[in-house]
Amino acid sequence: MTSIGIHDLALATTHHVVDLAELAEDAGVDPAKYHIGLGQDRMSVPTADEDIVTMGAEAALPLLQRHGTDGIRTLLFATESGVDQSKSAGLFVHELLGLPRTMRVVEFKQACYGATAALQSALGFVARNPQERVLVISSDVARYELGSAGEPTQGAGAVAMLVAADPALLEIEPVSGVAARDVDDFWRPNDSTTAVVDGRLSLTAYLGALTTAWDDFTAAGGVGIEQIDRFCFHQPFTKMARKALTGLAQHTGATLTDELQEATFAYNRELGNTYTASLYAGLASLLDHDDDLAGRRIGLFSYGSGAVGEFFTGLVRPGYQQLRRRESTEAQIAGRVRLGLPAYRELHGAEHPSDTDWEAPSVTEGAFRFAGIRDRARRYEATPVGTAQPPV
Ligand code: CAA
């Protein structure tokens, strides 16, 4: 049977960053609550000319520069912070990246789980035709009400993945465990720019979905817990993944220490919650920071509020280190520009009605920008950096 999986992946984030120590001080909260209690250091914040489209295109660009577009016939865009009720954000990305006209492009939504649904679908497309490659893009802006308990768990970022036969990074194994239950733990009504969340319920819903998905994984013939060498979980805040590993250890009776997932945290501590991209930012961090992964099995858990979960596994391919992008990812994260709290709050509340023409100020130094609204439609453009498309 052909092995199929993630051939390459790349991460992108925003121009701005807010330091959680500043947010804590301003709120009269001990900064250790955020750094240790939640396991978060900073959060990415988009400029007025950045959004899920610009981040998604930015994440996908290095994949195309490295691998070209041959065989790419499908672009699956996963997000829960969509920019249109009808049109897929993937179509804007398709144009910005100059992808072939002969493609299917669609958007996936089920909270933070959407990217895993897209990945599983991509595996199916490639299984049917191993010559095809699928571009999966996950991109989100996590926004809660100012002053709410969720505020320090905001963030923004995108991860793009190229799914192909005989992958260079991670072969996804066929067995999956899934879970679904209608629960009001977290959602975003159509007329709200911020999520509504029952924080306590969201924690138990996440842990419940994990154990249900694990039991289903086992019933479906998945490997035993002792055959999994590393764990990578959805990270709404990195402490949540620690709670999840503890929960899985209690549920299975296995001894599972945090060393098995420590390398997954580096990027998400900096980005904050990236919703659909969070699990895959964790995977990027693991592949970039752990030198002893060749041939090892990673257990991945994807959670999407509302609520669904999926537990699945992947085998790391020998030579994965050659595809790493640690230096450029770290440079991007370190290069973010600090945003003071007044400016952050102003950006947080900024809304631009779709029935009024509006030109976005030029702020981002990324490869693509949201130019604004004209004739009720969103307009995007490549910046001089994007036009130059330097090799990566
Ligand atoms: N030093 C160190 N730790 C401290 C501390 C201090 N001074 N003060 C508090 N802490 C610890 C607390 O003990 C707690 O740790 P434990 O959970 O391990 O006990 C931690 O800091 C957080 O403290 P609280 O529970 O008091 O925090 P809170 O009630 O203010 O908010 C939250 C926590 C409910 C998760 C909130 O951040 C929130 O609503 N976040 C958004 C929802 C979310 O992310 N849910 C996760 C599951 S849903 C999901 O995964 C989907 C998704 O992406 C949203």
Side-chain angles (χ1 to χ4, degrees), residues 321-353:
Q321 295 97 330
Q322 285 153 29
L323 275 86
R324 282 172 166 172
R325 290 195 166 81
R326 179 171 170 173
E327 221 170 282
S328 58
T329 303
E330 286 179 348
Q332 201 186 153
I333 288 172
R336 289 172 301 173
V337 175
R338 177 190 157 271
L339 192 62
L341 296 183
Y344 147 69
R345 286 177 182 134
E346 202 175 310
L347 262 183
H348 189 281
E351 276 184 57
H352 303 287

Side-chain angles (χ1 to χ4, degrees), residues 197-218:
V197 61
D198 180 336
R200 297 286 131 219
L201 180 60
S202 74
L203 305 192
T204 54
Y206 179 122
L207 296 173
L210 171 59
T211 51
T212 303
W214 171 261
D215 290 345
D216 187 53
F217 175 78
T218 306

Side-chain angles (χ1 to χ4, degrees), residues 68-369:
T69 58
D70 283 357
I72 300 183
R73 289 175 55 77
T74 304
L75 191 173
L76 307 178
F77 195 108
T79 188
E80 59 176 302
S81 34
V83 293
D84 192 275
Q85 293 281 11
S86 172
K87 181 174 177 178
S88 165
L91 280 162
F92 297 116
V93 173
H94 176 269
E95 188 66 24
L96 286 172
L97 295 175
L99 286 165
R101 291 278 171 245
T102 48
M103 281 186 63
R104 61 171 76 84
V105 179
V106 71
E107 187 166 304
F108 277 61
K109 181 182 73 180
Q110 175 29 57
C112 307
Y113 170 74
T116 301
L119 172 62
Q120 292 292 355
S121 304
L123 298 172
F125 283 123
V126 178
R128 207 165 61 168
N129 181 0
Q131 307 305 317
E132 283 193 26
R133 299 184 300 165
V134 178
L135 186 56
V136 173
I137 299 177
S138 51
S139 184
D140 267 303
V141 178
R143 213 176 261 134
Y144 297 93
E145 269 182 45
L146 295 176
S148 69
E151 186 181 14
T153 68
Q154 295 176 126
V159 173
M161 300 183 270
L162 193 61
V163 176
D166 193 18
L169 284 183
L170 189 71
E171 173 187 346
I172 306 290
E173 296 186 287
V175 179
S176 254
V178 288
R181 183 166 77 97
D182 182 5
V183 46
D184 292 335
D185 64 327
F186 168 108
W187 67 102
R188 185 169 66 82
N190 279 344
D191 58 354
S192 177
T193 54
T194 52
V196 182
V197 61
D198 180 336
R200 297 286 131 219
L201 180 60
S202 74
L203 305 192
T204 54
Y206 179 122
L207 296 173
L210 171 59
T211 51
T212 303
W214 171 261
D215 290 345
D216 187 53
F217 175 78
T218 306
V223 296
I225 194 107
E226 67 291 345
Q227 289 171 269
I228 299 176
D229 304 302
R230 302 284 188 279
F231 290 87
C232 184
F233 295 140
H234 170 56
Q235 295 167 14
F237 50 94
T238 63
K239 177 75 163 289
M240 187 68 224
R242 296 187 195 277
K243 290 178 189 289
L245 196 66
T246 304
L248 193 59
Q250 281 165 359
H251 186 68
T252 58
T255 304
L256 304 173
T257 64
D258 269 336
E259 278 156 45
L260 301 175
Q261 62 168 345
E262 205 62 47
T264 66
F265 297 143
Y267 298 151
N268 283 329
R269 285 190 72 96
E270 287 285 337
L271 304 177
N273 196 351
T274 57
Y275 291 160
T276 53
S278 160
L279 171 62
Y280 300 98
L283 177 62
S285 174
L286 176 61
L287 294 168
D288 282 354
H289 292 85
D290 191 329
D291 293 328
D292 183 28
L293 288 179
R296 303 227 182 250
R297 179 175 281 116
I298 304 175
L300 298 107
F301 176 65
S302 179
Y303 176 71
S305 289
V308 302
E310 179 159 350
F311 190 95
F312 60 107
T313 55
L315 294 169
V316 180
R317 303 300 294 258
Y320 71 98
Q321 295 97 330
Q322 285 153 29
L323 275 86
R324 282 172 166 172
R325 290 195 166 81
R326 179 171 170 173
E327 221 170 282
S328 58
T329 303
E330 286 179 348
Q332 201 186 153
I333 288 172
R336 289 172 301 173
V337 175
R338 177 190 157 271
L339 192 62
L341 296 183
Y344 147 69
R345 286 177 182 134
E346 202 175 310
L347 262 183
H348 189 281
E351 276 184 57
H352 303 287
S354 66
D355 60 357
T356 311
D357 281 6
W358 174 73
E359 207 172 305
S362 270
V363 184
T364 184
E365 286 163 13
F368 306 100
R369 63 182 296 273

